[in-house]
Amino acid sequence: MPSFPRDFLWGASTAAHQVEGNNVNSNWWVKEHAAQTHVVEPSGDAMDSYHRYREDMKLLADAGLNSYRFSVEWARIEPERGFVSRAELDHYKRMIDTAREFGLEPVVTLMHFTVPRWMQDSGFWRAADAPDLFARYTEMVLPILDGVRYVCTINEPNIAAMLAGGEDAANLVAYGLPNPDLGVADALLESHRRSREVLSSVNGLKSGWTVATQAFHSTGEPGADEKLYEYGYPRDDWYLEQSAGNDFVGVQAYTRTFIGPEGPRPRASDAEKTLTGWEYFPAALELGVRSAWELSGNVPIMVTENGIATADDSRRVDYTDAALRGLQSAMADGVEVLGYQHWSALDNFEWASGFAPTFGLISVDRETFERTPKPSLAWLGEIARRGSLN
Ligand code: BGC
């Protein structure tokens, strides 16, 4: 089996709100506690990674990984409009330093779905000054980014625009994704550009956003190809095209959805189903990476998320092995890939679905917060050490 490049980043991903716990000043906390919420359970203490990040990182490094993707939380750094918390910036600086101490390249995301309450209340991404606010937030974070090589500005702007679309996105299943709010999509693009401008002042820092590539497939019936374009373009391809000229683009791939002439189809009843209800489809990664490379005009790719929600860890290994083989085949054809960050380091708070879908390489006891690495972590770490698949 050919090897991956020597400097390839092998890591795992998390997002602040999904693992830190008590992100009480964020719009998601408000949503979770609203009377009429569609969120099945609140995030609460989550995995308490706000306090236990050192332990999380040590487990990843001990297993053999060399990078860690995590996000810094806007709702903590700017808890009130215009007020910068130096203490919270110090907290995230400690995280960056700890990652380095363990030999993990930090891949830092600035915004992973959550915003401060005040930002939600003052118009969210629909506010005329949203891009100014995001650029200013980026400036606030700048002092702790010295030496950081990879920054993801906005996580999955395509999913964020769909969540803002107004329909009930109780579960982000690929089938029947809500209509994107195109005004929000434009605001996210402008915010991303403004943020990249700010980040360009840091020597050696590469920035990009991350896109949920969705491997939409036409059923081949008359009219299905047209529908595929109409449905898929504003949910996926547009964001990849807009990544042209960026330092890298993050690809996040999980499953596929068939599109018939009438629109998206539910998962076929005989297809293997994961705990999110999605089809088990590891080829999603290769398809996502190839389309990102092509549509962006050959921007280098970082796989910033890929994984499976399953209670059967051996299925996680099968899925990841097949996904990595697909990735390797794209790389053999010349696609430049900087690294692979598995989703997720830990079992975590899966947004509206709560804690039930387990994506982690590490399980967490929700009462004691005790971490238990799963066999898949050692398996991935071994590949990372060796730099090649079995
Ligand atoms: C998001 C993660 C999420 C994962 C699995 C991606 O859409 O970036 O926050 O947990 O998919 O559902």
Side-chain angles (χ1 to χ4, degrees):
M1 204 66 195
S3 305
F4 284 82
R6 261 180 187 286
D7 56 354
F8 196 75
L9 294 181
W10 291 98
S13 270
T14 56
H17 189 77
Q18 295 179 267
V19 295
E20 283 183 344
N22 298 297
N23 190 16
V24 300
N25 197 42
S26 72
N27 63 333
W28 260 82
W29 187 274
V30 176
K31 198 193 293 270
E32 290 160 24
H33 293 274
Q36 302 274 302
T37 187
H38 63 265
V39 181
V40 301
E41 57 186 326
S43 54
D45 287 324
M47 285 34 232
D48 192 31
S49 290
Y50 185 83
H51 300 106
R52 293 166 202 260
Y53 63 85
R54 191 179 172 85
E55 198 182 335
D56 298 342
M57 292 188 200
K58 184 165 189 312
L59 288 171
L60 300 179
D62 284 352
L65 300 183
N66 63 17
S67 62
Y68 179 44
R69 172 180 178 235
F70 58 92
S71 69
V72 297
E73 181 56 60
W74 189 358
R76 294 188 197 267
I77 292 172
E78 191 181 2
E80 291 298 337
R81 192 182 177 117
F83 170 76
V84 190
S85 167
R86 282 162 209 248
E88 295 291 359
L89 282 176
D90 281 354
H91 168 83
Y92 291 115
K93 176 79 172 77
R94 282 193 293 274
M95 283 188 73
I96 291 168
D97 291 346
T98 305
R100 290 213 186 92
E101 180 191 331
F102 288 129
L104 300 169
E105 179 79 46
V107 177
V108 178
T109 303
L110 298 180
M111 204 275 297
H112 195 122
F113 293 150
T114 46
V115 302
R117 287 176 189 231
W118 62 260
M119 160 61 173
Q120 175 85 41
D121 295 344
S122 56
F124 198 42
W125 296 106
R126 294 182 188 85
D129 61 351
D132 299 335
L133 296 170
F134 193 66
R136 194 180 62 174
Y137 162 59
T138 308
E139 278 165 15
M140 292 172 183
V141 183
L142 220 46
I144 67 167
L145 294 178
D146 214 25
V148 171
R149 288 168 60 207
Y150 298 101
V151 171
C152 309
T153 55
I154 296 177
N155 182 72
E156 294 187 348
N158 52 335
I159 300 290
M162 287 187 257
L163 282 173
E167 294 171 44
D168 179 14
N171 191 356
L172 287 179
V173 284
Y175 164 65
L177 287 167
N179 289 322
D181 179 321
L182 298 180
V184 167
D186 286 339
L188 290 167
L189 177 60
E190 182 57 15
S191 302
H192 166 64
R193 289 191 174 143
R194 297 278 307 281
S195 178
R196 287 194 71 236
E197 257 166 52
V198 173
L199 294 167
S200 68
S201 66
V202 182
N203 228 342
L205 185 153
K206 293 186 190 308
S207 65
W209 62 6
T210 71
V211 179
T213 57
Q214 296 158 80
F216 293 124
H217 281 49
S218 162
T219 58
E221 295 156 84
D225 288 1
E226 292 77 3
K227 194 70 188 179
L228 172 73
Y229 181 77
E230 181 197 312
Y231 185 81
Y233 184 75
R235 287 174 171 75
D236 188 336
D237 294 359
W238 182 79
Y239 295 85
L240 297 173
E241 288 177 0
Q242 298 302 329
S243 311
N246 288 188
D247 300 324
F248 70 90
V249 54
V251 165
Q252 320 207 143
Y254 293 94
T255 187
R256 69 171 164 187
T257 299
F258 279 96
I259 311 291
E262 76 297 347
R265 297 260 168 94
R267 177 182 36 79
S269 51
D270 57 350
E272 181 178 341
K273 178 171 95 159
T274 68
L275 289 176
T276 35
W278 303 343
E279 179 183 343
Y280 175 98
F281 187 66
L285 182 59
E286 178 178 356
L287 294 170
V289 161
R290 286 185 187 274
S291 87
W293 178 250
E294 196 183 309
L295 293 170
S296 67
N298 300 356
V299 166
I301 285 157
M302 171 89 76
V303 178
T304 37
E305 289 184 25
N306 170 247
I308 171 176
T310 177
D312 176 355
D313 196 50
S314 68
R315 263 337 243 157
R316 187 176 340 275
V317 169
D318 297 341
Y319 176 95
T320 310
D321 185 67
L324 288 172
R325 278 170 210 279
L327 180 65
Q328 198 157 50
S329 136
M331 291 170 76
D333 288 341
V335 178
E336 187 182 347
V337 183
L338 306 166
Y340 173 87
Q341 310 290 329
H342 189 81
W343 184 271
S344 181
L346 309 170
D347 288 342
N348 66 23
F349 176 71
E350 270 298 320
W351 306 110
S353 315
F355 292 91
T358 43
F359 276 96
L361 298 166
I362 301 168
S363 69
V364 181
D365 181 312
R366 293 206 34 236
E367 278 174 24
T368 63
F369 303 112
E370 191 189 340
R371 272 77 172 136
T372 309
K374 302 179 191 176
S376 52
L377 176 61
W379 173 85
L380 187 61
E382 191 46 42
I383 290 172
R385 284 187 211 274
R386 221 178 26 232
S388 67
L389 300 168
N390 259 329

